[in-house]
Every structure is written in structure tokens, then in C-alpha cells.
Amino acid sequence: MGATGLLSGTRYVLARDLTLAGRRVTDVLTTLFFFVIVVSLFPLGVGPEAGTLRAIAPGILWVAALLATMLSLGRLFTADHLDGTLEQMLLSPQPLSLIVLGKVAAHWLVTGAPLVLMSPLLGLQFGLSGAPLGVLMLTLLLGTPVLSLIGAMGAALTLGLRGGGALISLLVLPLYVPVLIFGAGAVEAVASGLEADAHLSLLGALLVLALCFGPWVTAAALRISLE
Amino acid sequence: MAPNWFKYASPASFYPLAGRLVPWFGAAAALLTVLGLYLGFFVAPTDYKQGEAYRIIFIHVPAAWMSMFIYLVMAFYAGLGLVFNTRLSAFMARSLAPTGALFTFIALWTGALWGKPMWGAWWVWDARLTSELILLFLYLGYMSLQAAIEDPRRAARASGLLALIGAVNVPIIYFSVQWWNTLHQGASISMSQGSTMAATMLTAMLVMTLAFWMYTIAVVLTRVRCEILERERHSEWVAEIAAREAR
């Protein structure tokens, strides 16, 4: 690992956060179980009719992914803020936005990636199969990093505030709307025999946009919150 | 000699200026509202398709325009505040938010009132209604963040950044909602069926928009004055004003 490379800070933070997550596996599993439980509640509320469930499956899986990601955002900066690590990161010579990128990448690997891997199983429960199931995984693969990147901005803005959990949902959920629309829309398009290329391209565009500006804005928000 | 605009960036010199301007904008708002409502309710012809119920648009459309416009103005002041570190800009951004949220709410409410006789439903997941609802959520998030932070400086900067994030997202949200809507409901009723509008109708709508604009300026300036007094309460010039008022 080159000590002076531009991305060395990113790599270091990523490895550190993954190690920390590995030592507290229950935290990771809690988010995943939350996702599974929320999705499983819907058939109980809506009724077991297969046609209805298949129609609402993309929306439910996507909304549950949104909520699960949001629930885990508190972990992103809070622990580092409390023990002072975050201030050291602000003082470090590495660009803060690249350090943030490492943290967000770790957050996605710990919360987003398990959701992606779990989604086909839940999709099967709702009667999705074949192409729609594959597209569901693909949209979650493209979309959950965007959720982590946007969520990081909210987490940085609400750092250390009273009632941060409820507040962050108010800030972040409206910004999640486009991801939800294109993610769930792609699956529905394929399920009804249409092409999902446009949806997927737009999701990819959102990901690129969030990757370019998200860490940078989050770094600015962290500076405001900690000054 | 060019006037020194930066003079009024200082709260101490802006406070009396705002105080002199408020009555003018308030009077203009009252006059224009009376004129606009008269034009809308008595002069404009009855719509042959929608009957009298269409007259809600004289409140609804200006409110919807203002709700979006105010968000952009708010983001502009927030950006100014972040870049130039002027406290007055932050006060302006903060004071605009409640009025913007109010207009968003009015637009939604009158939209529902209009929707009942026209669509037969209080709420339709129409693209514009939905984006307006999300705009209301953005305003609420902005105000909640501001209320949650104790330190006024951090509150101003953090919510300013949020306003800018929101301003970047508003067009993305708007177009994605429109896209979503066209995919989901093929034969929804469009609000802009006929863009051929009688000239008096358009005039009344523009007059009402102007009235709302004047109202916004009057209210925001009043709110900024209160804000300035509250923040500067320990300064000498506020003490002088208080002494003068007490006399």
C-alpha cells in the first residue's frame, strides 16, 4: 500500500471500517434482518394473493431497502465522532472527501451489498422469477450505493444532534425519490415485457452524479458540523 | 458614484431600510390581491368545460409558482451566505422557508379542492401534485434541521448546505416523478388540457402572482427584522432602538 497515493487514505479507511464491522457482526445482521422482516410483513398486511404480491414486489423491496439503508446511517459517523477519530480525519493531510469515500464504500459493503445478495430470495417469495429477478438485483446493485452516498450527506449534517434518527429520515427520504422511481420502475418494466435500459441508464447516471459530488458535499457538511 | 450595495449586508443598516420598505410592499400586496381577486372572480368569463370551480386556479397556480420560486430564492441566499459568510443572507434564507412551505401547502390544498369536482377525487397521484408534495417535504426537512441545531451559526451553515442539495435535486425529482407518472397512468387527466386561456384569466393570474410576491417580500422582511433584533440583542444599536421605543 503506497503511503503517499491519493487513494491511500480511502483504502486505509475502507479497510479499517470493514475490520470494525467484522468485529461487530450483529450490527450488520440487524440491518439485513430489518430488511427481511419489513418485506415479510407486507403479505401479512396486503393478503396472500399471488398476483397482487407480484405486482407490488418491486416497490416493496425497494422501499424496504431505502428504510434499511436509512436505519443504518447513524452508524456511519457517530462512533468516530464520539471517540474523536473523526476530528483526526479532518486534520489529516489526505483530502477529506476521499476519506469520506472510503467510509461510504465500507458502509455500502456492510449494508447495501447484503441487501443486494438477499433480494433474489425475497423476490422469489413474492413470485418474481427469471428476468425481473435479475433486473431487481441489478437495480439494487446500482441503486444502493447511491442511497449510501446521499445518506452520508444527511448523516454528516445531523451529526451529534438530538433526535438525529428521525431528523435524518426527513432530510434524506425525499432525496431518495428518484432512485426509488427508477429502481422499482425497471423491475416493473421488465415484468410487463418492456425494456429496462432507460431506467438502468438513468440509475447509472444517478450513481455517477452521486459518486462525483456526494463525498465532496459530505466533507463540507462534516466541516460545518465539527467546526 | 455607484451606490455601495454591501452597506445593506450589515444587519444594523438593513434593519431600518427593511422597516421603511415593509409598509410599501404590504400595501402593494393588499391592493394587488383585491384587484386580482376581482378580476378573477367577477371579470374573467366562466369556463365552458369546468364551470365556476376553475376559479380556484387564481389562488392555486400563483401559489404553486411561488412555492417553487421561493425555494430557489432560498437556495440562492443560502449559497450567498455560505460563500460570502454574510449573516444577513442566512437570515433571509431562514425567513423565506416558512412562507415557501405555506405556499406549497396552499397549492396542495387548493389542488385537492379543485380535484374533487374535476377528477372526482381529492387526491390523484399526478406528477405535479406529487412533486409539490415532495417539495413540501424538502421545506419541512430544511426547517426541522434548522430547529434541531442549537448553535445559530452551525444551523445557518448546515441548513444552507441542505438547501443547496435540495435545489440540485428539485429538477431531478421533478423529471423522475414526471417519468414515473407517464409510465404508471396512461390516461390521466392533464392539468394543462387547453393552454388557450382567455386574456383576462391570464391577467388575473399574473396579478395574483404579483400580489403573492409582494406579500412574500413584506412578510420575509418583517421576519428578518425580528431575526436581526433577536440575534443582535446584545449590541448597542438594538439597545438604542429599545430605549427609543420605550420612551
Side-chain angles (χ1 to χ4, degrees):
Chain A
M1 190 186 283
T4 51
L6 196 57
L7 286 176
S8 65
T10 315
R11 273 201 305 270
Y12 175 73
V13 170
L14 175 63
R16 170 185 172 273
D17 276 20
L18 286 180
T19 314
L20 283 177
R23 303 235 168 104
R24 273 176 300 179
V25 185
T26 32
D27 279 7
V28 180
L29 290 178
T30 313
T31 312
L32 188 61
F33 288 150
F34 174 82
F35 179 63
V36 174
I37 289 174
V38 166
V39 170
S40 313
L41 282 178
F42 274 89
L44 298 175
V46 176
E49 203 212 326
T52 317
L53 287 182
R54 197 177 306 124
I56 59 174
I60 288 173
L61 278 156
W62 258 99
V63 170
L66 246 63
L67 295 177
T69 310
M70 205 197 64
L71 206 66
S72 65
L73 286 174
R75 282 208 308 272
L76 196 50
F77 297 119
T78 308
D80 285 349
H81 176 48
L82 289 179
D83 66 11
T85 317
L86 202 56
E87 276 177 38
Q88 297 305 315
M89 289 177 179
L90 253 70
L91 293 173
S92 90
Q94 298 284 343
L96 183 58
S97 50
L98 290 177
I99 292 177
V100 166
L101 184 66
K103 287 195 76 69
V104 174
H107 177 262
W108 178 74
L109 283 173
V110 170
T111 59
L115 300 189
V116 177
L117 294 176
M118 192 54 122
S119 59
L121 203 62
L122 295 171
L124 278 175
Q125 283 191 316
F126 278 74
L128 292 179
S129 58
L133 208 55
V135 172
L136 176 69
M137 262 189 100
L138 189 59
T139 55
L140 281 169
L141 190 65
L142 282 171
T144 43
V146 185
L147 301 184
S148 292
L149 284 161
I150 296 177
M153 298 180 203
L157 283 172
T158 55
L159 193 61
L161 296 182
R162 285 173 285 109
L167 184 61
I168 202 172
S169 60
L170 210 56
L171 303 189
V172 159
L173 284 181
L175 303 178
Y176 280 173
V177 167
V179 186
L180 171 66
I181 287 175
F182 296 127
V187 185
E188 271 170 35
V190 170
S192 53
L194 299 168
E195 290 281 321
D197 293 1
H199 289 94
L200 293 175
S201 307
L202 282 163
L203 263 183
L206 287 177
L207 177 58
V208 171
L209 198 69
L211 262 179
C212 287
F213 295 106
W216 184 60
V217 174
T218 308
L222 281 177
R223 288 220 163 83
I224 289 171
S225 292
L226 287 177
E227 80 185 356
Chain B
M1 199 185 83
N4 181 10
W5 294 107
F6 290 107
K7 183 185 164 196
Y8 292 109
S10 134
S13 53
F14 185 78
Y15 180 83
L17 174 75
R20 278 199 301 280
L21 290 177
V22 166
W24 292 100
F25 284 110
L31 281 176
L32 287 168
T33 308
V34 171
L35 179 68
L37 287 182
Y38 175 74
L39 281 177
F41 286 165
F42 298 105
V43 178
T46 307
D47 190 271
Y48 87 99
K49 232 180 182 169
Q50 310 188 2
E52 300 291 347
Y54 93 93
R55 292 185 197 273
I56 289 174
I57 64 162
F58 295 118
I59 307 283
H60 174 74
V61 174
W65 279 343
M66 287 309 288
S67 67
M68 286 179 258
F69 178 65
I70 289 177
Y71 197 92
L72 289 182
V73 176
M74 192 176 90
F76 169 74
Y77 275 115
L80 270 189
L82 281 178
V83 173
F84 294 111
N85 222 349
T86 45
R87 288 188 309 148
L88 193 61
S89 317
F91 293 171
M92 285 295 277
R94 185 191 162 103
S95 306
L96 278 160
T99 310
L102 174 73
F103 277 126
T104 318
F105 183 74
I106 289 177
L108 285 170
W109 188 262
T110 52
L113 289 180
W114 181 82
K116 187 63 184 166
M118 294 305 142
W119 294 333
W122 293 110
W123 183 267
V124 173
W125 288 95
D126 169 82
R128 290 182 216 200
L129 276 173
T130 312
S131 18
E132 197 71 13
L133 185 67
I134 294 166
L135 185 65
L136 182 64
F137 294 157
L138 287 176
Y139 273 120
L140 292 180
Y142 175 87
M143 290 194 289
S144 322
L145 181 64
Q146 196 129 47
I149 306 180
E150 304 250 320
D151 173 28
R153 204 179 126 77
R154 183 185 161 190
R157 292 176 69 79
S159 57
L161 191 64
L162 182 69
L164 287 181
I165 298 172
V168 172
N169 270 280
V170 161
I172 300 179
I173 292 174
Y174 182 79
F175 286 112
S176 60
V177 167
Q178 207 139 30
W179 166 289
W180 159 80
N181 184 254
T182 49
L183 281 184
H184 278 247
Q185 331 181 313
S188 157
I189 304 148
S190 146
M191 273 206 242
S192 55
Q193 284 166 329
S195 55
T196 49
M197 191 183 268
T200 39
M201 288 187 198
L202 191 63
T203 316
M205 220 147 81
L206 290 178
V207 170
M208 282 308 290
T209 310
L210 216 56
F212 281 0
W213 203 341
M214 296 297 123
Y215 163 82
T216 307
I217 296 176
V219 168
V220 168
L221 286 181
T222 312
R223 217 175 270 141
V224 168
R225 270 163 65 88
C226 296
E227 190 90 358
I228 291 175
L229 282 189
E230 202 183 327
R231 297 280 181 83
E232 305 264 299
R233 61 183 177 277
H234 302 302
S235 70
E236 240 169 67
W237 68 271
V238 173
E240 275 169 29
I241 289 178
R244 214 183 311 137
E245 302 271 315
R247 228 179 282 141

